[in-house]
Amino acid sequence: MFGRSRVIVATIAMAAAGATALAGCGSSGAGNGTPAGSGQTTSVQGAVTQVPSQVTTGSSDGAKSASDLVPAAIKSKGTLTVATDATYPPDEFIAPGTKTIIGMDADLAKALGEQLGLTLKLVNATFDTIIPGLQSGKYDMGLSSFTDTKQREKVVDFVVYYKTGESFFINSTSNKSFDGLDSLCGAKVTVENGTTEQTDAQAQSKKCSSEGKKPVNVLTFADQSAANLAVANGRADVGFADSQVVGYMLTQSHGQFKPTGNPVNVTPSGIALPKGNGMAPALEAALKNLIADGTYAKIFDKWGMKTNIISADEVKTNAAVS
């Protein structure tokens, strides 16, 4: 199963206004009722946006070193196509009323490009199409909150760039509570298709059944926006997504949702690369430079993700724990 352990600002804000508006883990497509890949410019798979950033990085010897590590065949391109599913704030989402992808990953792409001497062009893509797109050569990089897992490492390489857990959220009117995967037995749980949460919820369902308990009813949706809607309208008991995504969503939902339980499965997240293309050492060097000069911490602090940061020593290639 390919995906991130992985809600869009527009969606979250509209959730408080009603279920119809909610149908919008941060994309403009979701926010305006149009799912990524539907053909709308703001969220269609393949739509391109400039990468905005309020964080700047200066040139340095470190930047030159990172650039020198870029394989010649990749450097000759000048511009790399970077796929991201912009339905996942604060990591990546469409700025309300625009076609521009913003978020932690967008700012990081800008900073990484400066370090590597390349232009990183963000392309909005449905999440579960990104890894196949890397395999086919359609994309040069996947910057979309991927959880680094051993299964995914079989087909792509990952350079670890932050860490995150998985968290639960419920409708604010719910009197139910969930804490730990075992608590999901018999519950209706929403997840985005292709995510680690989907894999974990499905595995837990089998575990529940083997223990003589009711299985988990895993409701899978094409994007996080639709998964949130199921919690908002009462179709599901609980939502399951990355901890930073849930945390950001809760601050934007105007009381529509509330957290429940503690985070589970804290794991590394990675930037995905075509398997064996030689780009990993350059990307590692660029990330370490950004950590050293403080740019990395500024970006994560800007998006309320200080608890997700890692040290330079933790920047590694293919460091999945399971």
Side-chain angles (χ1 to χ4, degrees):
M1 187 66 64
F2 300 131
R4 50 186 161 187
S5 160
R6 310 192 53 289
V7 216
I8 170 160
V9 169
T11 299
I12 296 167
M14 289 188 224
T20 300
L22 181 69
C25 298
S27 89
S28 73
N32 61 19
T34 307
S38 67
Q40 295 300 313
T41 305
T42 54
S43 63
V44 62
Q45 182 178 338
V48 175
T49 183
Q50 292 299 110
V51 181
S53 178
Q54 296 178 13
V55 181
T56 58
T57 57
S59 60
S60 66
D61 290 339
K64 183 176 184 297
S65 296
S67 176
D68 286 346
L69 290 172
V70 177
I74 297 176
K75 183 177 294 187
S76 66
K77 290 184 176 183
T79 298
L80 302 187
T81 302
V82 182
T84 188
D85 180 359
T87 65
Y88 216 59
D91 296 36
E92 53 267 338
F93 59 106
I94 303 295
T98 77
K99 299 178 182 180
T100 302
I101 299 173
I102 61 174
M104 177 275 291
D105 276 333
D107 281 357
L108 190 63
K110 173 68 173 179
L112 286 171
E114 292 171 357
Q115 290 285 327
L116 296 167
L118 296 167
T119 298
L120 302 189
K121 180 178 68 177
L122 290 182
V123 176
N124 195 11
T126 303
F127 184 67
D128 59 6
T129 68
I130 295 176
I131 287 182
L134 290 169
Q135 293 177 278
S136 70
K138 182 176 183 178
Y139 306 128
D140 299 300
M141 187 181 297
L143 190 55
S144 197
S145 313
F146 283 96
T147 300
D148 183 2
T149 70
K150 291 188 181 298
Q151 181 183 4
R152 295 170 191 155
E153 286 177 3
K154 294 178 181 179
V155 294
V156 294
D157 289 324
F158 283 107
V159 175
V160 175
Y161 71 121
Y162 76 96
K163 60 187 176 183
T164 188
E166 302 167 293
S167 293
F168 305 113
F169 64 96
I170 56 178
N171 192 301
S172 60
T173 62
S174 175
N175 57 9
K176 298 180 180 180
S177 63
F178 300 88
D179 194 7
L181 291 172
D182 287 340
S183 69
L184 298 180
C185 295
K188 296 178 181 178
V189 182
T190 65
V191 295
E192 180 181 0
N193 186 47
T195 62
T196 298
E197 284 83 11
Q198 179 186 14
T199 301
D200 290 347
Q202 290 172 338
Q204 180 60 39
S205 184
K206 294 179 180 178
K207 183 174 183 289
C208 293
S209 296
S210 70
E211 295 173 348
K213 302 175 183 177
K214 292 183 178 181
V216 182
N217 185 352
V218 184
L219 305 179
T220 303
F221 297 90
D223 55 49
Q224 189 62 45
S225 303
N228 296 342
L229 177 59
V231 177
N233 65 21
R235 179 180 173 187
D237 300 311
V238 58
F240 192 25
D242 281 6
S243 296
Q244 82 277 8
V245 173
V246 173
Y248 186 81
M249 179 264 288
L250 293 173
T251 68
Q252 302 293 313
S253 72
H254 303 288
Q256 177 73 46
F257 305 110
K258 61 185 179 183
T260 180
N262 298 300
V264 299
N265 299 334
V266 177
T267 55
S269 293
I271 300 171
L273 298 168
K275 193 71 178 176
N277 78 338
M279 188 65 183
L283 196 53
E284 279 192 31
L287 281 166
K288 290 178 180 180
N289 291 339
L290 294 176
I291 291 173
D293 71 15
T295 301
Y296 172 88
K298 289 178 182 178
I299 291 172
F300 277 74
D301 183 46
K302 171 185 172 182
W303 295 103
M305 295 176 62
K306 287 198 294 185
T307 60
N308 299 97
I309 65 173
I310 59 174
S311 67
D313 290 341
E314 294 175 285
V315 176
K316 298 177 181 179
T317 298
N318 296 338
V321 295
S322 62

